[in-house]
Amino acid sequence: TYSGECENEVYNRTRKRSGQIFVKHFGGPRYMPGATRIITFSEYYINDVKVEGEHSIVSQGFNEDSTAITYLVEVNNGTLTFEDGTVVTRNAEKTRLHYFGENRYDLSDDYWIINGTSTGTNFRGDTYSRTISNLKALKTCLHFVSGTVTINLNDEAPVMLNYGEGECDDKALVSKNGESKQITLREKRNKNRK
């Protein structure tokens, strides 16, 4: 059960959280094949936004050379309900590979490779699908350093966000209808680094 406030230093604002988060963990340590964590919510709010759905993480264990652990990540019936009645939905299926650096107990040189898809509706009620291809995340970088995210919105032409070739920076390339432009990413730590 959680109730309280959390200060977000990046955006200099306080988020009020209330309600319950339930975490069911079974199958042994997280790196063991079959180890599973299932996260659900009960009357859980961030500020005035109600959070619902189920988030599961299932370990597939180490790969053959023991350099990475594979996790299957799913979001089922993810829903954000805002005070004005606006509803945002999301379902997702992703594969997350956690590669270890030279020191198994030091995460600073670890990295993650993420692939998968998600679908849902946005704030305007538009239907979207998103394909994630080889996103690479480093513990020491604020943003993904390589890989792409392709977004399809309603019947519009797809938009591709390309994070580059490995640079630890705040730049990405957005492409649509054969045209591309570079953008500066917001100063927000990506949530998939851990």
Side-chain angles (χ1 to χ4, degrees), residues 38-41 52-56 73-79 90-93:
I38 299 176
I39 302 168
T40 55
F41 308 91
E52 297 175 283
E54 180 181 278
H55 186 182
S56 66
V73 181
E74 292 188 3
V75 176
N76 293 305
N77 300 315
T79 304
R90 182 170 179 259
N91 289 281
E93 294 183 2

Side-chain angles (χ1 to χ4, degrees), residues 61-190:
F62 284 95
N63 58 359
E64 291 183 0
D65 57 6
S66 296
T67 57
I69 301 177
T70 300
Y71 296 97
L72 301 181
V73 181
E74 292 188 3
V75 176
N76 293 305
N77 300 315
T79 304
L80 300 177
T81 303
F82 292 79
E83 194 173 20
D84 64 359
T86 300
V87 177
V88 174
T89 66
R90 182 170 179 259
N91 289 281
E93 294 183 2
K94 295 186 290 185
T95 301
R96 181 186 301 160
L97 282 83
H98 177 186
Y99 284 88
F100 296 94
E102 293 183 4
N103 186 342
R104 183 64 57 88
Y105 302 102
D106 180 7
L107 294 180
S108 65
D109 59 353
D110 291 8
Y111 66 93
W112 291 257
I113 300 294
I114 304 161
N115 289 280
T117 59
S118 63
T119 59
T121 55
N122 63 16
F123 292 95
R124 298 186 297 271
D126 299 319
T127 300
Y128 72 85
S129 64
R130 180 179 298 155
T131 302
I132 299 169
S133 300
N134 295 316
L135 283 183
K136 183 176 182 179
L138 304 178
K139 185 71 175 179
T140 53
C141 295
L142 296 179
H143 305 286
F144 295 114
V145 299
S146 61
T148 62
V149 177
T150 302
I151 302 170
N152 291 277
L153 184 65
N154 293 334
D155 296 324
E156 298 179 13
V159 176
M160 176 181 285
L161 182 64
N162 189 324
Y163 285 90
E165 301 299 328
E167 301 85 0
C168 186
D169 58 23
D170 62 353
K171 306 301 180 186
L173 193 68
V174 176
S175 302
K176 182 178 182 180
N177 288 326
E179 298 183 358
S180 301
K181 69 175 181 179
Q182 188 179 76
I183 64 170
T184 300
L185 300 166
R186 294 187 301 175
E187 293 185 12
K188 180 178 182 182
R189 288 185 176 274
N190 79 66

Side-chain angles (χ1 to χ4, degrees), residues 46-59:
I46 301 176
N47 291 337
D48 295 316
V49 181
K50 186 175 184 180
V51 180
E52 297 175 283
E54 180 181 278
H55 186 182
S56 66
I57 304 172
V58 181
S59 173

